[in-house]
Every structure is written in structure tokens, then in C-alpha cells.
Amino acid sequence: MTTLADEVASRRIFAIISHPDAGKTTLTEKLLLYTGSIQTAGSVKGKSSSKHAVSDWMDIEKERGISVTSSVLQFRYGKCCVNILDTPGHQDFSEDTYRTLMAADAAVMVIDAAKGVEAQTKKLFRVCTLRHIPIFTFVNKLDREARDPFDLMEEIEEVLGIGTYPMNWPIGCGQNFRGVFDRRARRVIAFEGDGRANATKKVAEVEADLGDATLDELIGRANHENLVDDIELLDGAGDELDYDAVRTGRLTPVFFGSALTNFGVQPFLEEFLRLAPSPLPYLDQESGSPVDPSRDEFSGFVFKIQANMDKNHRDRIAFLRICSGKFERGMDAYHVQGGRKIKLATGTSLMADDRSTVDVAYAGDIVGLFDPGLFSIGDTLCTGKTPVRFPAIPTFAPELFSRITQVNTLKRKQFVKGMEELAQEGAVQIFREPGFGMESVIVGVVGTLQLDVLERRLKNEYGVEVRRSGLPYTEIRRIANDADDFSVEKLRITRDALLVEDMRGRNLLLFTSVWGMNYVTERNPDLVLEEVSNFDLE
């Protein structure tokens, strides 16, 4: 009979991060393929195909071949229960990615073998380092022409400031790609694809020892000679794999392969599960002490809210990361932010938009809770005599602003509901001018693609057509003055500034420039402004 500690120890929860088009979602698909979770993998490149990535469930994701929202994927492999957090690679959806990384115990960083470390990878990497979680690197697309692997490792070390340890080593690249050398097992694993651009089945594996004469025929004499030289150079460095450095995010194990054609995917999965940590403790803000994942008392936090995953029921699901103990369907828990006990009537296990009821889950699992509008991102749920409170989820200042107006005034109720629910997801931030209704609102986002998704979802999920007009504002600040001592009606602002309020009724100012913001503060010496974001990547 397994104990709570055994169940927790078997959990692995990680996020996959990358720059757009590095192959993140394709790698996710192939991991599911190798674990038997799916029978065929849909390439996100196949826009004209009927197949799409399992983790891409929105219509816009299937049409454009991109991921624009985080997906939760759970499967078992061997003795491990694995939760993958597949995050958007597109920079316009970085907020969703950053929040999701708060729920992960490790990260898999996918790097394009031809392009190396790219801009979005740098930002996401820095979020991981703030939490000191282990980072595993998968250098992808070896089936295409690639940079020298030594150069790639040097770039990772210099640009990201993390040590590298190659777990395997590529044999050629592009049309000359013949497989990888497993450094721990001291063997060559050669692969053969199925002759198609997107392999959809497991490929055959052939093993041979380094230096074996049969390798000349298997991978070619020139490749064999180059491999011997490279491995001698790596072994000559004398570096051993430092497990402590891996666990604290100071050293990244590096794997080479090709997710599209299945090269190196299964060896990577098995090594990752061997090295990745079981659920890590989260800090209780009340006591200042870490919460043991194996303790009896249940606890967890909401890191994501998604509306309308089921088009037939217009539901809202709160994604809960379980931090300690055991979840049981129908259990009572204390909602810390709400200050009251609630019944967790239904738990859901998710595979993108497919779901099944969960009766029991453990620390390191993700469960979906039906949300009638009770939860917010960052909320803590717990049991026990002494409540715990986990750290707040980062918020981000929008960089682009647009005015969104409903076309059909008879659809006001649907428009208001749609805007409020999508704002609660964290997909956009909504502001309105004091004294005005909700027929026209100001939306703040990080990138323009978020506005495209907003329009699409309002139309498809709420039946609302909208008009969108860009606004010139680039800076946003919250008014921090005490409302009892400070009157916003007396503010002296210019035409380059706009007074708005958020959905909680808090007052903010939008500015077209930093100069304009400074000018307003000079004209209003009692005015106190504060940043909207509580998270800074600079």
C-alpha cells in the first residue's frame, strides 16, 4: 500500500519554455506519444492538415499553428505521474507563461539548434532563475542544419549565465544526422526516421559501443572519427555531473535531438524523470517557513483561470497547483483570500480541453476546480488549524492600450460578461473612465496578438462583435494616495493623460510618455504614483 510520501515522491511537474517556433509544442506532443497518452502526434506546422497539437485546443491555435494559452497535460510513465505545463511561446502571451512557471518544479528549455539562445528564451529563463528551479535543455531540430554543439553550449553559458553538462552528443546534423551518443551509458544510439517530414510513430533504436568497428557502417567513418574526438574532448574536461548544481538551477543538463522526427526524445524523457525533483516546498507567507509537500494538511494555489474550455457549458475552470497533502473530491477547504470554508465538489484532470473527474490527487498534481466566480489568480486553499498563504502571483503592466466598443448595443449583457470573465483569466486588463458605463472599455495588453484573441473569443464564445481602436498611451501608474485625503476630481492633468479605474474601482493614470507623467506629477505635488506591475525582468 502506497503512503502519502510515496505518492508525492512519484510526482514530476514541469513547464516547457522556448522562443516561438523552437519546437516546444512539438516536443510536448512527442513526449505524449512515447508515454502512450496519444497514438499519433499532430504537428503544429500542419495548418492545412486535420491534425493539430493536442495541447492546442483553441480554434485560433489550430488555425495559426501557435500556442496562445497554457495547457495542462498529465500522464504516467513508469513509476512517475507527470504533469506538463505547456506554455505559450509567443511573447504577446508572456504573462500567462510567467504565471504558469510559478507552479512548476522544473523547466525544460527548448533551443533551436540553428538559432541558439533567442530573446524570449532569455526572459523566461530569468523567471526560472528567480525560483532557482532545475532547468533542463533540449537542443532541438538536429534534423536540420545546425550550429556547432560546442558553440551552442558556450552561448548558453555566456548569455544565460548557467553551466552546461551535455548528457548526450549529436552525431552530425541535417541530412547527415545519425543519432546521439549517450555519455552516461557510453553507447551510441542511432535512429532511422519513417521517411516523412513529421514522424508519427516511434522509431527503431540501434545500440553500439564507441570505437566499435560496426559504427563505421552504422554512422559513417567520418562521423565516427569526429564523435571519438568530441567525446575525448568532453571527457578530458573532467567535469562530473553536479546534482546539487542541477537542483538549484546553476547547471543545466543538455540533450540533443529532433522532436519532429523523434530523435532523442525517449532517452531525454527517461533521463529527465530520473534527475528532475519530486514536488518542491513553497514558502508560507504567514510563518515564513516552507510547507512540506508530504505533510497531511492539504494546500494549494490557483495559478490560472480559463473560461469556456467546454463550449457547450460556458464553464470556468481554476487551475490549482497542489502544494501539500492530498486532495479528495468533496472535501472542505479554507479559502484564505475569501476568509471562508468552501466545498471542493469537483476535481478535474486535464489533457488540454479533454477532462475527467478526479477523486484523489496529491502534492505535485494540477487539478481543475469548477469556479462560479469565487477564485482569483494567486488564491490559496488549505486545510488544518493554521492557514497558510502562498506568495502572490506576479502581475504585469500592460504596454499597449485599445478602446473596445460593442457593435450591437442589444448585446450589452454578453459584452460585459465576456470582458469581465476574460479579464479574470488574466488574458487582458480592463479599465473604464469614471462616470462611463461598460459599453466601451479600455483594454491593456502586453502584445497585439492578445487583442486578436480577445476579439475572436468575444465573437465565438459570447456572440459579441466589437470595434477596436488603438490608443497612444504607453505608461500606466496606480494612484497610491488615500482616497479619504485625496480627490482625483481636483487633479491637474493634460490632454496627454487619462484618468481611469480598474475593475476593483482603483484609480489609475495613463500617459503617452514618461515626460508627460513627470509633468503631471510636477503639477500635482501631493500625487503619489506606483507601478502596476509587481514583477520586473530588468
Side-chain angles (χ1 to χ4, degrees):
M1 181 176 178
T2 58
T3 65
L4 173 61
D6 292 334
E7 291 286 357
V8 173
S10 70
R11 263 59 188 175
R12 302 289 186 273
I13 177 169
F14 66 96
I16 304 183
I17 63 174
S18 77
H19 191 83
D21 202 34
K24 170 183 57 63
T25 300
T26 303
L27 176 62
T28 305
E29 293 282 297
K30 296 311 174 71
L31 292 175
L32 297 177
L33 177 68
Y34 271 95
T35 60
S37 301
I38 58 175
Q39 299 305 310
T40 60
S43 170
V44 295
K45 287 295 185 184
K47 299 178 186 177
S48 61
S49 169
S50 62
K51 289 187 174 66
H52 304 282
V54 167
S55 54
D56 290 342
W57 59 272
M58 283 186 180
D59 290 339
I60 193 171
E61 293 179 308
K62 296 173 182 178
E63 290 174 13
R64 300 197 184 189
I66 57 173
S67 295
V68 301
T69 183
S70 298
S71 296
V72 178
L73 311 163
Q74 186 182 74
F75 59 84
R76 284 193 170 272
Y77 188 78
K79 296 181 179 180
C80 291
C81 180
V82 184
N83 291 275
I84 299 180
L85 303 173
D86 180 32
T87 61
H90 199 286
Q91 62 183 5
D92 284 7
F93 298 90
S94 54
E95 293 177 85
D96 195 19
T97 303
Y98 297 148
R99 285 193 294 262
T100 299
L101 284 171
M102 298 298 112
D105 290 328
V108 172
M109 179 170 63
V110 183
I111 290 178
D112 188 317
K115 299 177 181 177
V117 180
E118 299 176 85
Q120 184 69 358
T121 309
K122 298 176 189 176
K123 292 183 178 180
L124 298 173
F125 173 84
R126 294 189 66 180
V127 180
C128 297
T129 58
L130 292 175
R131 293 193 55 224
H132 305 291
I133 60 175
I135 299 170
F136 297 79
T137 301
F138 187 85
V139 179
N140 194 25
K141 301 187 180 182
L142 265 297
D143 57 304
R144 304 178 185 180
E145 291 304 314
R147 291 168 52 184
D148 180 82
F150 284 106
D151 290 343
L152 286 168
M153 290 199 304
E154 183 179 5
E155 182 179 53
I156 292 171
E157 293 186 351
E158 290 184 354
V159 175
L160 301 181
I162 188 173
T164 59
Y165 184 90
M167 301 296 293
N168 61 21
W169 197 251
I171 304 170
C173 67
Q175 294 183 345
N176 188 40
F177 184 43
R178 294 293 178 265
V180 295
F181 174 74
D182 186 328
R183 293 188 67 198
R184 187 167 75 95
R186 308 300 297 180
R187 70 187 183 205
V188 168
I189 306 177
F191 296 92
E192 294 180 359
D194 62 4
R196 289 175 287 176
N198 177 35
T200 57
K201 65 179 183 179
K202 298 179 183 180
V203 291
E205 298 183 6
V206 182
E207 298 182 7
D209 294 328
L210 187 64
D212 192 322
T214 59
L215 280 182
D216 286 348
E217 182 178 347
L218 184 63
I219 64 174
R221 175 173 292 182
N223 284 329
H224 190 186
E225 292 175 352
N226 290 335
L227 179 63
V228 170
D229 291 341
D230 287 349
I231 298 305
E232 285 182 355
L233 185 60
L234 290 172
D235 292 346
D239 295 331
E240 297 292 333
L241 182 60
D242 186 336
Y243 293 98
D244 288 335
V246 171
R247 293 189 182 98
T248 54
R250 294 178 287 118
L251 179 72
T252 178
V254 180
F255 300 81
F256 293 86
S258 167
L260 193 64
T261 55
N262 294 338
F263 284 114
V265 174
Q266 189 169 22
F268 161 73
L269 174 62
E270 293 177 350
E271 280 296 282
F272 170 79
L273 295 179
R274 182 178 73 87
L275 296 173
S278 54
L280 300 173
Y282 279 80
L283 190 69
D284 172 19
Q285 296 292 91
E286 301 294 336
S287 66
S289 301
V291 176
D292 183 359
S294 297
R295 74 172 197 163
D296 291 332
E297 292 85 2
F298 160 84
S299 67
F301 65 90
V302 175
F303 67 91
K304 175 180 174 64
I305 294 174
Q306 187 73 53
N308 305 325
M309 291 186 72
D310 185 342
K311 296 179 181 178
N312 297 321
H313 295 95
R314 294 289 182 251
D315 60 350
R316 233 169 80 108
I317 298 294
F319 289 71
L320 182 83
R321 155 68 198 248
I322 304 177
C323 298
S324 70
K326 182 167 104 174
F327 165 88
E328 295 180 282
R329 184 161 62 100
M331 69 185 294
D332 291 326
Y334 182 66
H335 181 210
V336 175
Q337 281 73 15
R340 60 170 175 157
K341 282 190 176 182
I342 59 174
K343 182 177 288 293
L344 306 183
T346 304
T348 301
S349 174
L350 302 121
M351 177 67 77
D353 61 340
D354 294 331
R355 62 185 73 182
S356 58
T357 300
V358 170
D359 293 318
V360 178
Y362 299 89
D365 283 336
I366 303 292
V367 294
L369 301 176
F370 172 71
D371 179 19
L374 179 66
F375 300 123
S376 297
I377 292 173
D379 283 3
T380 297
L381 297 174
C382 62
T383 61
K385 294 181 179 179
T386 306
V388 299
R389 183 193 295 265
F390 294 114
I393 300 293
T395 59
F396 303 82
E399 300 172 10
L400 299 172
F401 298 88
S402 282
R403 188 179 297 279
I404 304 294
T405 306
Q406 64 193 74
V407 173
N408 185 350
T409 55
L410 296 178
K411 293 272 190 176
R412 182 184 184 280
K413 184 177 179 181
Q414 295 92 323
F415 176 72
V416 172
K417 181 180 180 182
M419 293 302 299
E420 289 179 345
E421 289 188 349
L422 295 180
Q424 287 167 348
E425 285 184 15
V428 296
Q429 295 184 44
I430 297 178
F431 310 97
R432 59 189 171 196
E433 297 177 68
F436 287 77
M438 284 288 289
E439 290 77 11
S440 176
V441 297
I442 295 172
V443 172
V445 296
V446 173
T448 55
L449 190 53
Q450 286 178 283
L451 294 171
D452 294 340
V453 172
L454 173 67
E455 284 191 55
R456 179 69 65 88
R457 292 189 65 187
L458 284 172
K459 181 178 180 180
N460 292 348
E461 298 173 19
Y462 300 93
V464 177
E465 296 266 7
V466 296
R467 285 191 299 270
R468 166 175 131 199
S469 55
L471 297 173
Y473 306 108
T474 59
E475 304 291 330
I476 180 170
R477 295 294 186 273
R478 186 179 295 117
I479 297 176
N481 299 79
D482 191 323
D484 295 332
D485 302 327
F486 188 84
S487 174
V488 294
E489 289 79 9
K490 296 181 179 179
L491 274 174
R492 300 173 64 196
I493 59 176
T494 65
R495 287 180 296 177
D496 294 333
L498 181 66
L499 176 67
V500 296
E501 59 183 30
D502 62 16
M503 300 306 289
R504 295 183 182 180
R506 296 176 297 190
N507 293 308
L508 304 98
L509 285 169
L510 303 181
F511 303 95
T512 58
S513 66
V514 174
W515 181 90
M517 180 176 63
N518 293 335
Y519 182 70
V520 168
T521 55
E522 290 174 4
R523 296 186 66 187
N524 299 270
D526 295 332
L527 177 64
V528 179
L529 300 178
E530 65 180 11
E531 297 275 355
V532 171
S533 172
N534 66 4
F535 191 76
D536 188 3
L537 280 178
E538 298 303 327

